[in-house]
């Protein structure tokens, strides 16, 4: 079947990433104020989804190796920032290991007090309800407490290992 589906079925982490990279995802920044020192902290994630409308729940995944998640998780409220297509540098900065992730970034406080990044399309203040270990990540389920739109524009999209935007149909 030359025109049929490939059936090699080979599975390793490289192949898994390559195949799942064909699924486009939006990109978010999870932010908070570190309860120890009051400084902003955060991380980038492309595994974000709506989980439930009633009650309003969202989910995202964080690597077990993340050094940022314990700082963010320490806050009573975390804020999800939906990143805009022009915010790829913001995403890269928040995804980097170590350093001051908020150097040069401008933000305002959400009602929960956490950073809402300038230019983000929307924000959601959330309380973490559950964490489920899953392979090399933790699946975080959070209850949405407050939310709003913030800026206009298109979303930052992750696809095939790269970043881009979305063109709305005419």
């Amino acid at each position: 079947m030359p025109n049929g589906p490939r059936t090699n079925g080979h599975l390793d982490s490289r192949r898994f990433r390559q195949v799942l990279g064909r699924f486009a995802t939006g990109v978010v920044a999870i932010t908070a104020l570190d309860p120890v020192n009051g400084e902003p902290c955060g991380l980038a994630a492309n595994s974000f989804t709506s989980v439930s409308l009633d009650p309003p729940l969202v989910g995202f995944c964080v690597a077990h190796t993340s050094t940022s998640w314990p700082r963010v998780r320490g806050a009573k409220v975390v804020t999800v920032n939906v990143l805009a297509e022009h915010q790829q540098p913001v995403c890269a900065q928040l995804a980097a290991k170590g350093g001051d992730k908020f150097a040069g970034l401008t933000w305002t406080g959400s009602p929960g007090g956490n950073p809402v990044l300038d230019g983000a399309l929307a924000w959601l203040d959330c309380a973490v309800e559950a964490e489920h270990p899953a392979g090399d990540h933790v699946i975080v389920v959070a209850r949405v407490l407050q939310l709003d739109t913030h800026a206009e524009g298109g979303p930052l999209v992750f696809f095939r290992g790269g970043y881009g935007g979305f063109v709305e149909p005419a």
Side-chain angles (χ1 to χ4, degrees), residues 9-163:
H10 178 69
L11 178 63
D12 61 26
S13 60
R14 190 178 121 293
R15 179 78 173 142
F16 186 73
R17 181 182 296 254
Q18 177 191 37
V19 170
L20 291 188
R22 291 175 179 252
F23 179 71
T25 63
V27 184
V28 299
I30 314 294
T31 62
L33 292 181
D34 187 324
V36 175
N37 61 20
E39 295 293 319
C41 55
L43 57 97
N46 72 334
S47 56
F48 173 76
T49 190
S50 170
V51 173
S52 169
L53 292 175
D54 187 17
L57 300 173
V58 295
F60 54 91
C61 297
V62 180
H64 284 296
T65 56
S66 172
T67 56
S68 298
W69 177 240
R71 293 182 66 207
V72 173
R73 175 63 175 98
K76 290 183 180 180
V77 174
V78 301
T79 301
V80 177
N81 291 259
V82 178
L83 298 181
E85 61 190 335
H86 68 276
Q87 291 183 299
Q88 195 279 324
V90 173
C91 175
Q93 189 167 326
L94 289 172
K97 301 267 187 223
D100 179 0
K101 293 187 177 199
F102 282 78
L105 298 183
T106 54
W107 55 275
T108 56
S110 72
N114 293 324
V116 174
L117 301 167
D118 284 356
L121 300 179
W123 59 266
L124 303 89
D125 273 347
C126 304
V128 173
E129 288 215 343
E131 295 181 58
H132 304 282
D136 57 5
H137 279 66
V138 173
I139 301 168
V140 179
V141 178
R143 181 179 295 260
V144 178
L145 305 172
Q146 299 181 73
L147 73 168
D148 207 352
T149 58
H150 189 61
E152 294 299 321
L156 181 60
V157 177
F158 186 74
F159 180 71
R160 288 189 174 178
Y163 295 90

